[in-house]
Amino acid sequence: MISSQHNAPGRILITGASGQLGSYVLRELRARDWPALAWCQRPTPDLFGYSCQSVDLRDTDQVIDAFRAANPEVVIHTAALSGVGDCFRDPAQARQTNTIGTKLLAELADRHSARLVYVSTDLVFDGTRSWYTETDCPAPLSVYGQTKATAERAVLDHPRHLVLRISLMFGPSINGRPSFFQQQIDALKQQTPCKLFSDEWRTPLHLELAARGLLRAASTDVTGILHLGGPERLTRLEMGQRLAQFLGCDAGVLEPAVRDDVPASEPRPRDTSLNSDRWCALFPEFPRPGFEEALASRMGNGE
Ligand SMILES: NC(=O)c1ccc[n+]([C@@H]2O[C@H](COP(=O)([O-])OP(=O)(O)OC[C@H]3O[C@@H](n4cnc5c(N)ncnc54)[C@H](OP(=O)(O)O)[C@@H]3O)[C@@H](O)[C@H]2O)c1
């Protein structure tokens, strides 16, 4: 098991601290009692004892000033306009936040001799094959994927930084905000119909493991691109069915959906499963439990 044994990698700045992933990172930091500075966009109450500073990545001067004041040694950059639909509806905002904001942070980190760990996504791939490796070429289909892929290149211009691509995350929301996973739990418990794709594959990763993985990677000097997905290649329908079984609910309310039947503004990648062999070779001790095992050991805190 990965544990809190690792030393703090230095003064940590986490962006997107109020998000689904960011809040899990803060909880992990609190468990280790590591000091950290937390940034979010909107005013947010303290989370796990960390106060969140509002810094808008679209405001260059604000970011430069706040970065200088923070003077971090490690930046864990999770902030993003993360909704695929939101990015499609407002591509300018998506580019400003995801690409230009990330480029600025990567440059500032480099200038301040800090290391940046950038959270990217399996959606930089077009989904025409399976088990993508770090050497496969990104070919995003969505505005979201394009903004993240372009940001990756800006991060990789700086040799001490790391791009950590993660897959679809699941797990209870611990930041008090709704999430798709939480909606599925509600639908199953209340037995209300819920449509889930049966022809799109990901390698889902529990939020807690994604957060631990980020801290593990941030504690090293690993650079370049690294994939961290879960060990199983699953559709959203399979995830829903296994969640139903785990919760002891009837899965009959889950309706299969296929991509051709659902009108979409942008093409959707069919299979963006991630190959995590590089991760496993670097961190053989890191746990990679299957879907139910991850749920069983990690549902308690947010449910
Ligand atoms: N969710 C997934 O399954 C998944 C899969 C692969 C990769 N990722 C990547 O993982 C990261 C975290 O995703 P998530 O699901 O945790 O996202 P999330 O819940 O939507 O959180 C996004 C965070 O970014 C902040 N943010 C948004 N716009 C900002 C801006 N202009 N300036 C400063 N901060 C801003 C938000 O702050 P406010 O709350 O204050 O608005 C929030 O803290 C993202 O980089 C995403 O691309 C996510």
Side-chain angles (χ1 to χ4, degrees):
M1 277 291 284
I2 199 161
S3 70
S4 42
Q5 302 286 318
H6 303 106
N7 294 327
R11 285 184 305 279
I12 300 172
L13 167 65
I14 164 154
T15 71
S18 51
Q20 292 296 332
L21 175 59
S23 51
Y24 269 87
V25 176
L26 281 188
R27 195 173 74 175
E28 289 297 317
L29 288 166
R30 174 52 61 221
R32 292 161 168 75
D33 223 8
W34 288 357
L37 286 155
W39 286 4
C40 49
Q41 180 187 15
R42 293 167 284 177
T44 307
D46 287 8
L47 276 169
F48 302 104
Y50 294 97
S51 62
C52 292
Q53 185 184 353
S54 293
V55 179
D56 191 329
L57 291 180
R58 298 165 300 179
D59 184 335
T60 303
D61 291 340
Q62 192 187 29
V63 174
I64 291 172
D65 288 347
F67 199 98
R68 193 182 298 119
N71 193 24
E73 289 167 84
V74 174
V75 182
I76 297 178
H77 178 31
T78 79
L81 192 60
S82 68
V84 174
D86 293 335
C87 293
F88 175 78
R89 278 184 290 279
D90 199 340
Q93 294 297 328
R95 281 196 190 94
Q96 199 70 37
T97 303
N98 296 355
T99 306
I100 299 170
T102 299
K103 184 172 189 294
L104 175 62
L105 277 180
E107 287 167 357
L108 285 169
D110 195 54
R111 213 177 298 157
H112 289 251
S113 303
R115 168 173 159 75
L116 181 126
V117 178
Y118 172 53
V119 180
S120 192
T121 168
D122 55 348
L123 296 182
V124 296
F125 294 116
D126 63 9
T128 52
R129 41 165 298 197
S130 297
W131 299 110
Y132 285 91
T133 70
E134 288 85 351
T135 54
D136 287 319
C137 272
L141 300 183
S142 61
V143 171
Y144 168 70
Q146 284 156 14
T147 59
K148 298 287 287 186
T150 314
E152 286 185 354
R153 291 199 291 278
V155 170
L156 293 170
D157 279 343
H158 305 279
R160 73 163 69 87
H161 298 345
L162 173 70
V163 170
L164 183 67
R165 287 193 192 125
I166 54 177
S167 193
L168 175 69
M169 293 182 288
F170 66 93
S173 173
I174 60 167
N175 62 358
R177 297 182 185 174
S179 69
F180 187 64
F181 183 80
Q182 209 66 56
Q183 284 168 18
Q184 270 181 67
I185 293 177
D186 295 344
L188 285 166
K189 287 188 172 167
Q190 292 154 21
Q191 289 289 287
T192 50
C194 178
K195 279 196 172 187
L196 296 172
F197 283 111
S198 60
D199 60 351
E200 280 184 7
W201 285 266
R202 314 283 287 268
T203 34
L205 178 69
H206 197 286
L207 277 154
E208 185 178 288
L209 290 165
R212 289 182 176 200
L214 261 177
L215 292 183
R216 184 73 185 93
S219 311
T220 68
D221 55 7
V222 175
T223 59
I225 303 173
L226 196 48
H227 285 181
L228 176 57
E232 298 167 295
R233 176 179 168 275
L234 299 174
T235 65
R236 284 200 186 257
L237 181 65
E238 287 167 332
M239 288 172 69
Q241 288 166 337
R242 287 166 69 163
L243 177 63
Q245 193 169 16
F246 176 83
L247 295 171
C249 299
D250 185 351
V253 290
L254 303 177
E255 298 171 12
V258 291
R259 290 175 311 142
D260 284 350
D261 292 349
V262 180
S265 337
E266 293 177 295
R268 300 176 61 98
R270 179 178 168 278
D271 183 342
T272 54
S273 48
L274 292 181
N275 173 317
S276 303
D277 286 354
R278 186 180 180 219
W279 178 277
C280 295
L282 285 165
F283 308 116
E285 83 291 356
F286 192 85
R288 293 180 73 238
F291 186 74
E292 287 82 359
E293 196 192 332
L295 285 178
S297 54
R298 293 174 168 86
M299 281 291 270
N301 297 304
E303 265 279 68

